[in-house]
PDB file of all heavy atoms in Angstrom:
ATOM      1  N   ARG A  29     -18.037  -4.816  -5.279  1.00 97.00           N
ATOM      2  CA  ARG A  29     -18.310  -6.224  -4.973  1.00 97.00           C
ATOM      3  C   ARG A  29     -19.440  -6.684  -5.859  1.00 97.00           C
ATOM      4  O   ARG A  29     -20.516  -6.089  -5.864  1.00 97.00           O
ATOM      5  CB  ARG A  29     -18.698  -6.396  -3.502  1.00 97.00           C
ATOM      6  CG  ARG A  29     -18.513  -7.820  -2.980  1.00 97.00           C
ATOM      7  CD  ARG A  29     -19.294  -8.060  -1.697  1.00 97.00           C
ATOM      8  NE  ARG A  29     -20.707  -8.239  -2.002  1.00 97.00           N
ATOM      9  CZ  ARG A  29     -21.692  -7.536  -1.427  1.00 97.00           C
ATOM     10  NH1 ARG A  29     -21.425  -6.611  -0.545  1.00 97.00           N
ATOM     11  NH2 ARG A  29     -22.948  -7.776  -1.764  1.00 97.00           N
ATOM     12  N   SER A  30     -19.199  -7.725  -6.648  1.00 98.00           N
ATOM     13  CA  SER A  30     -20.211  -8.234  -7.564  1.00 98.00           C
ATOM     14  C   SER A  30     -20.745  -9.583  -7.100  1.00 98.00           C
ATOM     15  O   SER A  30     -19.987 -10.433  -6.623  1.00 98.00           O
ATOM     16  CB  SER A  30     -19.640  -8.374  -8.982  1.00 98.00           C
ATOM     17  OG  SER A  30     -19.367  -7.098  -9.547  1.00 98.00           O
ATOM     18  N   ASP A  31     -22.058  -9.752  -7.248  1.00 97.00           N
ATOM     19  CA  ASP A  31     -22.733 -10.981  -6.838  1.00 97.00           C
ATOM     20  C   ASP A  31     -23.058 -11.835  -8.059  1.00 97.00           C
ATOM     21  O   ASP A  31     -23.441 -11.301  -9.113  1.00 97.00           O
ATOM     22  CB  ASP A  31     -24.027 -10.651  -6.092  1.00 97.00           C
ATOM     23  CG  ASP A  31     -23.781  -9.783  -4.863  1.00 97.00           C
ATOM     24  OD1 ASP A  31     -22.675  -9.852  -4.302  1.00 97.00           O
ATOM     25  OD2 ASP A  31     -24.694  -9.033  -4.472  1.00 97.00           O
ATOM     26  N   PHE A  32     -22.947 -13.137  -7.900  1.00 98.00           N
ATOM     27  CA  PHE A  32     -23.176 -14.079  -9.001  1.00 98.00           C
ATOM     28  C   PHE A  32     -23.952 -15.300  -8.510  1.00 98.00           C
ATOM     29  O   PHE A  32     -23.951 -15.609  -7.324  1.00 98.00           O
ATOM     30  CB  PHE A  32     -21.841 -14.598  -9.565  1.00 98.00           C
ATOM     31  CG  PHE A  32     -20.915 -13.564 -10.118  1.00 98.00           C
ATOM     32  CD1 PHE A  32     -20.040 -12.878  -9.281  1.00 98.00           C
ATOM     33  CD2 PHE A  32     -20.888 -13.291 -11.473  1.00 98.00           C
ATOM     34  CE1 PHE A  32     -19.164 -11.927  -9.780  1.00 98.00           C
ATOM     35  CE2 PHE A  32     -20.012 -12.340 -11.987  1.00 98.00           C
ATOM     36  CZ  PHE A  32     -19.147 -11.657 -11.142  1.00 98.00           C
ATOM     37  N   ILE A  33     -24.576 -15.983  -9.466  1.00 97.00           N
ATOM     38  CA  ILE A  33     -25.050 -17.349  -9.268  1.00 97.00           C
ATOM     39  C   ILE A  33     -24.216 -18.229 -10.185  1.00 97.00           C
ATOM     40  O   ILE A  33     -24.138 -17.976 -11.400  1.00 97.00           O
ATOM     41  CB  ILE A  33     -26.540 -17.510  -9.623  1.00 97.00           C
ATOM     42  CG1 ILE A  33     -27.416 -16.670  -8.692  1.00 97.00           C
ATOM     43  CG2 ILE A  33     -26.937 -18.981  -9.544  1.00 97.00           C
ATOM     44  CD1 ILE A  33     -27.461 -17.134  -7.258  1.00 97.00           C
ATOM     45  N   VAL A  34     -23.583 -19.241  -9.618  1.00 98.00           N
ATOM     46  CA  VAL A  34     -22.802 -20.169 -10.442  1.00 98.00           C
ATOM     47  C   VAL A  34     -23.741 -21.286 -10.877  1.00 98.00           C
ATOM     48  O   VAL A  34     -24.109 -22.161 -10.095  1.00 98.00           O
ATOM     49  CB  VAL A  34     -21.604 -20.743  -9.664  1.00 98.00           C
ATOM     50  CG1 VAL A  34     -20.804 -21.683 -10.573  1.00 98.00           C
ATOM     51  CG2 VAL A  34     -20.709 -19.627  -9.152  1.00 98.00           C
ATOM     52  N   THR A  35     -24.153 -21.235 -12.123  1.00 98.00           N
ATOM     53  CA  THR A  35     -25.057 -22.230 -12.686  1.00 98.00           C
ATOM     54  C   THR A  35     -24.236 -23.367 -13.311  1.00 98.00           C
ATOM     55  O   THR A  35     -23.001 -23.341 -13.290  1.00 98.00           O
ATOM     56  CB  THR A  35     -25.952 -21.599 -13.763  1.00 98.00           C
ATOM     57  OG1 THR A  35     -25.135 -21.276 -14.911  1.00 98.00           O
ATOM     58  CG2 THR A  35     -26.611 -20.319 -13.248  1.00 98.00           C
ATOM     59  N   SER A  36     -24.925 -24.318 -13.889  1.00 97.00           N
ATOM     60  CA  SER A  36     -24.232 -25.425 -14.552  1.00 97.00           C
ATOM     61  C   SER A  36     -23.426 -24.939 -15.754  1.00 97.00           C
ATOM     62  O   SER A  36     -22.516 -25.626 -16.228  1.00 97.00           O
ATOM     63  CB  SER A  36     -25.244 -26.481 -15.000  1.00 97.00           C
ATOM     64  OG  SER A  36     -26.215 -25.904 -15.875  1.00 97.00           O
ATOM     65  N   SER A  37     -23.772 -23.741 -16.233  1.00 96.00           N
ATOM     66  CA  SER A  37     -23.053 -23.161 -17.380  1.00 96.00           C
ATOM     67  C   SER A  37     -21.985 -22.161 -16.964  1.00 96.00           C
ATOM     68  O   SER A  37     -21.313 -21.575 -17.813  1.00 96.00           O
ATOM     69  CB  SER A  37     -24.047 -22.472 -18.323  1.00 96.00           C
ATOM     70  OG  SER A  37     -25.016 -23.389 -18.806  1.00 96.00           O
ATOM     71  N   GLY A  38     -21.846 -21.954 -15.636  1.00 98.00           N
ATOM     72  CA  GLY A  38     -20.847 -21.008 -15.166  1.00 98.00           C
ATOM     73  C   GLY A  38     -21.475 -19.835 -14.431  1.00 98.00           C
ATOM     74  O   GLY A  38     -22.697 -19.767 -14.254  1.00 98.00           O
ATOM     75  N   PRO A  39     -20.666 -18.872 -13.991  1.00 98.00           N
ATOM     76  CA  PRO A  39     -21.163 -17.732 -13.222  1.00 98.00           C
ATOM     77  C   PRO A  39     -22.013 -16.773 -14.060  1.00 98.00           C
ATOM     78  O   PRO A  39     -21.676 -16.468 -15.207  1.00 98.00           O
ATOM     79  CB  PRO A  39     -19.889 -17.028 -12.750  1.00 98.00           C
ATOM     80  CG  PRO A  39     -18.785 -18.031 -12.923  1.00 98.00           C
ATOM     81  CD  PRO A  39     -19.197 -18.870 -14.091  1.00 98.00           C
ATOM     82  N   VAL A  40     -23.119 -16.327 -13.470  1.00 98.00           N
ATOM     83  CA  VAL A  40     -23.998 -15.327 -14.084  1.00 98.00           C
ATOM     84  C   VAL A  40     -24.100 -14.162 -13.101  1.00 98.00           C
ATOM     85  O   VAL A  40     -24.428 -14.364 -11.929  1.00 98.00           O
ATOM     86  CB  VAL A  40     -25.406 -15.896 -14.368  1.00 98.00           C
ATOM     87  CG1 VAL A  40     -26.317 -14.814 -14.950  1.00 98.00           C
ATOM     88  CG2 VAL A  40     -25.314 -17.087 -15.313  1.00 98.00           C
ATOM     89  N   ILE A  41     -23.828 -12.960 -13.551  1.00 98.00           N
ATOM     90  CA  ILE A  41     -23.797 -11.819 -12.648  1.00 98.00           C
ATOM     91  C   ILE A  41     -25.199 -11.361 -12.268  1.00 98.00           C
ATOM     92  O   ILE A  41     -26.138 -11.430 -13.084  1.00 98.00           O
ATOM     93  CB  ILE A  41     -22.998 -10.647 -13.266  1.00 98.00           C
ATOM     94  CG1 ILE A  41     -22.622  -9.622 -12.190  1.00 98.00           C
ATOM     95  CG2 ILE A  41     -23.761  -9.999 -14.419  1.00 98.00           C
ATOM     96  CD1 ILE A  41     -21.550  -8.647 -12.611  1.00 98.00           C
ATOM     97  N   LEU A  42     -25.354 -10.908 -11.033  1.00 96.00           N
ATOM     98  CA  LEU A  42     -26.618 -10.368 -10.541  1.00 96.00           C
ATOM     99  C   LEU A  42     -26.543  -8.848 -10.421  1.00 96.00           C
ATOM    100  O   LEU A  42     -27.410  -8.136 -10.913  1.00 96.00           O
ATOM    101  CB  LEU A  42     -26.972 -10.984  -9.181  1.00 96.00           C
ATOM    102  CG  LEU A  42     -27.141 -12.503  -9.138  1.00 96.00           C
ATOM    103  CD1 LEU A  42     -27.418 -12.951  -7.710  1.00 96.00           C
ATOM    104  CD2 LEU A  42     -28.261 -12.944 -10.078  1.00 96.00           C
ATOM    105  N   GLU A  43     -25.515  -8.355  -9.737  1.00 95.00           N
ATOM    106  CA  GLU A  43     -25.377  -6.920  -9.551  1.00 95.00           C
ATOM    107  C   GLU A  43     -23.990  -6.592  -9.018  1.00 95.00           C
ATOM    108  O   GLU A  43     -23.253  -7.480  -8.582  1.00 95.00           O
ATOM    109  CB  GLU A  43     -26.425  -6.391  -8.577  1.00 95.00           C
ATOM    110  CG  GLU A  43     -26.294  -6.944  -7.167  1.00 95.00           C
ATOM    111  CD  GLU A  43     -27.326  -6.350  -6.216  1.00 95.00           C
ATOM    112  OE1 GLU A  43     -27.262  -5.143  -5.942  1.00 95.00           O
ATOM    113  OE2 GLU A  43     -28.196  -7.116  -5.749  1.00 95.00           O
ATOM    114  N   THR A  44     -23.648  -5.302  -9.044  1.00 97.00           N
ATOM    115  CA  THR A  44     -22.388  -4.814  -8.506  1.00 97.00           C
ATOM    116  C   THR A  44     -22.666  -3.729  -7.479  1.00 97.00           C
ATOM    117  O   THR A  44     -23.437  -2.805  -7.737  1.00 97.00           O
ATOM    118  CB  THR A  44     -21.485  -4.248  -9.618  1.00 97.00           C
ATOM    119  OG1 THR A  44     -21.169  -5.288 -10.554  1.00 97.00           O
ATOM    120  CG2 THR A  44     -20.185  -3.689  -9.039  1.00 97.00           C
ATOM    121  N   ASN A  45     -22.058  -3.867  -6.319  1.00 95.00           N
ATOM    122  CA  ASN A  45     -22.170  -2.863  -5.267  1.00 95.00           C
ATOM    123  C   ASN A  45     -20.942  -1.964  -5.323  1.00 95.00           C
ATOM    124  O   ASN A  45     -19.815  -2.444  -5.173  1.00 95.00           O
ATOM    125  CB  ASN A  45     -22.247  -3.522  -3.889  1.00 95.00           C
ATOM    126  CG  ASN A  45     -23.459  -4.421  -3.757  1.00 95.00           C
ATOM    127  OD1 ASN A  45     -24.533  -3.969  -3.409  1.00 95.00           O
ATOM    128  ND2 ASN A  45     -23.280  -5.705  -4.050  1.00 95.00           N
ATOM    129  N   THR A  46     -21.143  -0.670  -5.536  1.00 96.00           N
ATOM    130  CA  THR A  46     -20.009   0.247  -5.660  1.00 96.00           C
ATOM    131  C   THR A  46     -19.499   0.736  -4.304  1.00 96.00           C
ATOM    132  O   THR A  46     -18.378   1.230  -4.210  1.00 96.00           O
ATOM    133  CB  THR A  46     -20.382   1.460  -6.528  1.00 96.00           C
ATOM    134  OG1 THR A  46     -21.553   2.097  -5.988  1.00 96.00           O
ATOM    135  CG2 THR A  46     -20.674   1.030  -7.958  1.00 96.00           C
ATOM    136  N   ILE A  47     -20.333   0.612  -3.255  1.00 96.00           N
ATOM    137  CA  ILE A  47     -19.881   0.893  -1.889  1.00 96.00           C
ATOM    138  C   ILE A  47     -20.344  -0.280  -1.026  1.00 96.00           C
ATOM    139  O   ILE A  47     -21.397  -0.229  -0.387  1.00 96.00           O
ATOM    140  CB  ILE A  47     -20.440   2.221  -1.338  1.00 96.00           C
ATOM    141  CG1 ILE A  47     -20.122   3.376  -2.292  1.00 96.00           C
ATOM    142  CG2 ILE A  47     -19.858   2.512   0.048  1.00 96.00           C
ATOM    143  CD1 ILE A  47     -20.675   4.717  -1.830  1.00 96.00           C
ATOM    144  N   PRO A  48     -19.584  -1.365  -1.019  1.00 95.00           N
ATOM    145  CA  PRO A  48     -19.993  -2.553  -0.249  1.00 95.00           C
ATOM    146  C   PRO A  48     -20.116  -2.245   1.239  1.00 95.00           C
ATOM    147  O   PRO A  48     -19.466  -1.333   1.757  1.00 95.00           O
ATOM    148  CB  PRO A  48     -18.850  -3.539  -0.521  1.00 95.00           C
ATOM    149  CG  PRO A  48     -18.172  -3.049  -1.742  1.00 95.00           C
ATOM    150  CD  PRO A  48     -18.315  -1.571  -1.721  1.00 95.00           C
ATOM    151  N   GLY A  49     -20.944  -3.028   1.920  1.00 94.00           N
ATOM    152  CA  GLY A  49     -21.098  -2.876   3.355  1.00 94.00           C
ATOM    153  C   GLY A  49     -19.784  -3.073   4.090  1.00 94.00           C
ATOM    154  O   GLY A  49     -18.935  -3.867   3.671  1.00 94.00           O
ATOM    155  N   MET A  50     -19.617  -2.361   5.188  1.00 95.00           N
ATOM    156  CA  MET A  50     -18.387  -2.431   5.974  1.00 95.00           C
ATOM    157  C   MET A  50     -18.677  -2.730   7.440  1.00 95.00           C
ATOM    158  O   MET A  50     -17.893  -2.390   8.326  1.00 95.00           O
ATOM    159  CB  MET A  50     -17.602  -1.125   5.840  1.00 95.00           C
ATOM    160  CG  MET A  50     -17.208  -0.795   4.419  1.00 95.00           C
ATOM    161  SD  MET A  50     -16.346   0.774   4.283  1.00 95.00           S
ATOM    162  CE  MET A  50     -16.301   0.971   2.488  1.00 95.00           C
ATOM    163  N   THR A  51     -19.819  -3.352   7.708  1.00 91.00           N
ATOM    164  CA  THR A  51     -20.159  -3.731   9.084  1.00 91.00           C
ATOM    165  C   THR A  51     -19.389  -4.998   9.460  1.00 91.00           C
ATOM    166  O   THR A  51     -18.758  -5.635   8.611  1.00 91.00           O
ATOM    167  CB  THR A  51     -21.666  -3.993   9.227  1.00 91.00           C
ATOM    168  OG1 THR A  51     -21.997  -5.244   8.583  1.00 91.00           O
ATOM    169  CG2 THR A  51     -22.497  -2.888   8.592  1.00 91.00           C
ATOM    170  N   ASP A  52     -19.482  -5.385  10.730  1.00 85.00           N
ATOM    171  CA  ASP A  52     -18.807  -6.603  11.185  1.00 85.00           C
ATOM    172  C   ASP A  52     -19.331  -7.843  10.461  1.00 85.00           C
ATOM    173  O   ASP A  52     -18.612  -8.842  10.335  1.00 85.00           O
ATOM    174  CB  ASP A  52     -18.990  -6.774  12.697  1.00 85.00           C
ATOM    175  CG  ASP A  52     -18.221  -5.732  13.499  1.00 85.00           C
ATOM    176  OD1 ASP A  52     -17.215  -5.213  12.980  1.00 85.00           O
ATOM    177  OD2 ASP A  52     -18.629  -5.442  14.642  1.00 85.00           O
ATOM    178  N   ALA A  53     -20.589  -7.772  10.008  1.00 83.00           N
ATOM    179  CA  ALA A  53     -21.206  -8.934   9.360  1.00 83.00           C
ATOM    180  C   ALA A  53     -21.152  -8.848   7.835  1.00 83.00           C
ATOM    181  O   ALA A  53     -21.641  -9.746   7.151  1.00 83.00           O
ATOM    182  CB  ALA A  53     -22.662  -9.071   9.806  1.00 83.00           C
ATOM    183  N   SER A  54     -20.558  -7.796   7.302  1.00 88.00           N
ATOM    184  CA  SER A  54     -20.560  -7.588   5.848  1.00 88.00           C
ATOM    185  C   SER A  54     -19.565  -8.503   5.137  1.00 88.00           C
ATOM    186  O   SER A  54     -18.593  -8.998   5.726  1.00 88.00           O
ATOM    187  CB  SER A  54     -20.228  -6.130   5.521  1.00 88.00           C
ATOM    188  OG  SER A  54     -21.225  -5.261   6.003  1.00 88.00           O
ATOM    189  N   LEU A  55     -19.809  -8.677   3.857  1.00 89.00           N
ATOM    190  CA  LEU A  55     -19.000  -9.588   3.056  1.00 89.00           C
ATOM    191  C   LEU A  55     -17.606  -9.029   2.748  1.00 89.00           C
ATOM    192  O   LEU A  55     -16.614  -9.750   2.824  1.00 89.00           O
ATOM    193  CB  LEU A  55     -19.721  -9.895   1.741  1.00 89.00           C
ATOM    194  CG  LEU A  55     -20.975 -10.759   1.875  1.00 89.00           C
ATOM    195  CD1 LEU A  55     -21.914 -10.525   0.697  1.00 89.00           C
ATOM    196  CD2 LEU A  55     -20.592 -12.227   1.946  1.00 89.00           C
TER     197      LEU A  55
END
């Protein structure tokens, strides 16, 4: 799961999670 900020110029990556959370509240 990769996180981004979508700026006026488009998406910019922040980081990649190789084992994303799997809780009830996770993405």
